[in-house]
Amino acid sequence: MAPTASLTATQAHARLHELTVVDVRTPGEYASGHLPGAHNIPLDHLDAALPALRTAAGRGDLLLVCASGVRSGQARERLAEYGIAAASLTGGTTAWTQLGHDVQRPAGSRAVWAMERQVRLAAGSLVLTGLLAGRRWPKARLLSAGIAGGLVFSALTDTCGMARILAKLPHNQSKATDLDTTLAALTD
C-alpha cells in the first residue's frame, strides 16, 4: 500500500476497481448501504480476520470504511500493529454518499440508524431519564452523571463503550453478513 493513511471519497472512487474494501461497521449498518464490493468485518471481529486481511493486503491495497472514518481509522491502526498496510476512507460512507456515489444494499435489508445516532439517542434518553427520575428520587441523578462521565471519557479516549453495547443489539445484527464467507472471499 502507498504510504497514505487515508483516501478521500473522490480518490477511493477513482481507485475502487483496484481496492479491496472492508467495511468495519456493524452488520446492520453495513446492510443499510455500503461501498460497491465491500466486505463486512465488524470492528469487534477484526482480530479474527487478521490472517485473511494479511492475505488480501498481499494481493493489493486495502481500504477500510465506516460511517465517518473514526472506526476505520481505529481499524487501520490495529492492522498496522500487525504489519498490515491499509488506508481509511476519510469521512466514511457519509462523505461517499454526499458526493453522490452509489452504495449497495442487500435485497430485503432495512435501514438502520448510524451508530453515532444510536449512541446520541441512548445517551440522551438515559440522561433525561436520570434527571426526570431525580425529581422524585434524588439518587437517580447519578445515572445522568454516569452517562456524562462516560461521554467525557469517550471523547478523551476516542472510544465508545456504549457503541460496543449497542452493536450487539438484534437490530444491528443483520443476517446479510456471514463472517466465515467474508473471510473465505478475502483469502481466495
Side-chain angles (χ1 to χ4, degrees):
M1 164 129 271
T4 185
S6 61
L7 294 175
T8 66
T10 302
Q11 292 169 325
H13 188 261
R15 295 186 53 204
L16 193 59
H17 65 283
E18 65 188 58
L19 297 169
T20 299
V21 181
V22 176
D23 193 317
V24 297
R25 296 177 298 163
T26 66
E29 289 176 293
Y30 172 83
S32 68
H34 55 271
L35 272 66
H39 302 278
N40 184 219
I41 301 175
L43 187 58
D44 59 347
H45 290 88
L46 200 61
D47 287 346
L50 288 172
L53 291 169
R54 184 180 313 284
T55 300
R59 287 194 310 265
D61 294 345
L62 290 180
L63 176 65
L64 303 171
V65 179
C66 69
S68 66
V70 173
R71 286 178 280 175
S72 59
Q74 292 170 348
R76 184 189 56 74
E77 290 172 7
R78 181 79 176 134
L79 293 181
E81 291 173 10
Y82 289 92
I84 303 171
S88 176
L89 179 63
T90 303
T93 55
T94 301
W96 181 268
T97 57
Q98 284 176 345
L99 291 176
H101 300 314
D102 290 334
V103 292
Q104 293 178 332
R105 290 178 181 85
S109 66
R110 60 179 175 30
V112 173
W113 284 4
M115 187 56 64
E116 180 183 338
R117 185 176 181 191
Q118 292 180 48
V119 168
R120 289 193 315 256
L121 175 67
S125 298
L126 289 169
V127 167
L128 187 58
T129 299
L131 291 174
L132 291 174
R135 295 181 74 187
R136 181 154 172 95
W137 303 285
K139 288 189 178 187
R141 290 186 182 132
L142 292 174
L143 173 63
S144 299
I147 296 299
L151 291 171
V152 170
F153 179 79
S154 175
L156 292 174
T157 61
D158 200 19
T159 61
C160 188
M162 189 177 287
R164 287 193 176 132
I165 293 167
L166 292 172
K168 296 182 185 320
L169 293 176
H171 68 273
N172 284 320
Q173 300 301 316
S174 170
K175 301 279 190 252
T177 301
D178 176 6
L179 188 59
D180 292 333
T181 302
T182 299
L183 297 180
L186 287 172
T187 57
D188 289 341

